[in-house]
């Protein structure tokens, strides 16, 4: 399963809820305001760092750049993808779920 | 101006994910033409609005972040950023744009517009206003 999160983890519980329901081997793609969940050194980083043991994390490059969040601010292991990578992920996993 | 009211614009949303940040900026610029006593507060995800080096080329939407630099020219020079909100997001003032204004009462000396304040200080600032507009 590919989980897609587009809400800021500081404002909504979408990411928390997603991580509680994502099983081992799934992927989480952070887009739009969701990319803030990929930042290290925040109040929310610990949750993602712990979840990264069982899940693969991706963040959309266009949304990172728009918000001025440089790749070196991201949690280790988070992979940055462009729009083509987004499409590849959707194709690679058997289904997608958006946490709106 | 004796009849000027104290306006505070409260910004609590990240840029681009919703329209709030851009709408707030538009309203601030319109309001600035009416020569009121304007302050801006950035707290919660609103602190992300001021992060420097925003580049929306790949996203394909307008990058409105350079507009914050123009606020000083509109006598909007009281920009309060909440310390607790920055810290929760792993940010410091060095991650934000450097916003300045020229102080006409001090021989047009260039001064910083951004003041980092605690939540308690921001609460007092909110109480001191005539009108609070939330975004």
């Amino acid at each position: 399963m590919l989980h897609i999160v587009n809400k800021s983890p500081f404002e909504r519980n979408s990411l928390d809820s997603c991580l509680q329901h994502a099983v081992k081997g799934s992927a989480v793609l952070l887009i739009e305001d969701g990319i803030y969940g990929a930042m290290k050194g925040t109040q929310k980083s610990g949750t993602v760092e712990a979840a990264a043991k069982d899940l693969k994390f991706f963040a959309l490059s266009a949304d990172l750049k728009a918000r001025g969040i440089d790749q070196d601010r991201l949690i280790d292991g988070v992979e940055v993808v462009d729009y083509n990578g987004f499409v590849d992920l959707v194709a690679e996993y058997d289904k997608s779920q958006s946490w709106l | 101006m004796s009849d000027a009211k104290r306006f505070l614009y409260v910004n609590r949303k990240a840029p681009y994910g919703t329209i709030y940040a851009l709408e707030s900026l538009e309203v601030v610029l319109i309001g600035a033409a009416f020569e009121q006593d304007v302050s801006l507060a950035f707290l919660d995800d609103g602190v992300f609005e001021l992060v420097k080096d925003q580049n929306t080329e790949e996203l394909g939407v307008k990058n409105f972040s350079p507009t914050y630099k123009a606020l000083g020219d509109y006598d909007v020079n009281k920009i309060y950023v909440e310390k607790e909100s920055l810290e929760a997001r792993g940010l410091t003032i060095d991650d934000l744009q450097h916003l300045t204004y020229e102080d006409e009462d001090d021989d047009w000396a260039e001064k910083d517009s951004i003041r980092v304040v605690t939540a308690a200080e921001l609460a007092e600032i909110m109480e001191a206003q005539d009108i609070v507009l939330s975004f």
Side-chain angles (χ1 to χ4, degrees), chain B residues 7 9 25 27-33 36-42 67-80 99-102 111-115:
Chain B
F7 279 71
Y9 296 87
L25 191 54
V27 173
V28 167
L29 290 171
I30 293 164
Q36 304 294 323
D37 179 1
V38 174
S39 301
L40 270 58
F42 293 87
T67 313
Y68 293 107
K69 287 201 183 298
L71 291 172
D73 298 332
Y74 289 88
D75 290 329
V76 177
N77 50 42
K78 293 189 288 280
I79 300 179
Y80 302 103
L99 303 182
T100 60
Y101 70 104
E102 293 175 340
K111 298 187 177 178
D112 287 347
S113 299
I114 293 182
R115 305 165 207 194

Side-chain angles (χ1 to χ4, degrees), chain B residues 82-102:
Chain B
E82 192 186 88
K83 182 171 173 281
E84 288 86 342
S85 299
L86 285 175
E87 288 173 356
R89 289 158 183 78
L91 300 173
T92 69
I93 190 165
D94 294 332
D95 295 310
L96 308 183
Q97 293 194 60
H98 185 212
L99 303 182
T100 60
Y101 70 104
E102 293 175 340

Side-chain angles (χ1 to χ4, degrees), chain B:
Chain B
M1 194 194 300
S2 60
D3 59 348
K5 287 195 188 312
R6 284 163 297 187
F7 279 71
L8 176 68
Y9 296 87
V10 177
N11 300 283
R12 296 186 47 253
K13 296 284 198 293
Y16 309 113
T18 65
I19 199 73
Y20 288 97
L22 173 58
E23 288 293 314
S24 173
L25 191 54
E26 302 261 1
V27 173
V28 167
L29 290 171
I30 293 164
F34 293 92
E35 298 188 2
Q36 304 294 323
D37 179 1
V38 174
S39 301
L40 270 58
F42 293 87
L43 64 155
D44 298 333
D45 274 356
V47 298
F48 285 131
E49 293 181 34
L50 298 177
V51 170
K52 63 187 176 189
D53 299 331
Q54 295 178 25
N55 178 350
T56 61
E57 201 176 326
E58 193 175 328
L59 191 59
V61 303
K62 181 186 160 144
N63 179 0
F64 56 84
S65 66
T67 313
Y68 293 107
K69 287 201 183 298
L71 291 172
D73 298 332
Y74 289 88
D75 290 329
V76 177
N77 50 42
K78 293 189 288 280
I79 300 179
Y80 302 103
V81 177
E82 192 186 88
K83 182 171 173 281
E84 288 86 342
S85 299
L86 285 175
E87 288 173 356
R89 289 158 183 78
L91 300 173
T92 69
I93 190 165
D94 294 332
D95 295 310
L96 308 183
Q97 293 194 60
H98 185 212
L99 303 182
T100 60
Y101 70 104
E102 293 175 340
D103 188 351
E104 61 179 312
D105 298 325
D106 189 10
D107 196 24
W108 305 100
E110 190 174 86
K111 298 187 177 178
D112 287 347
S113 299
I114 293 182
R115 305 165 207 194
V116 177
V117 295
T118 64
E121 288 167 334
L122 190 53
E124 294 298 320
I125 291 162
M126 288 171 171
E127 284 295 328
Q129 305 300 317
D130 294 309
I131 294 162
V132 178
L133 295 161
S134 302
F135 292 89

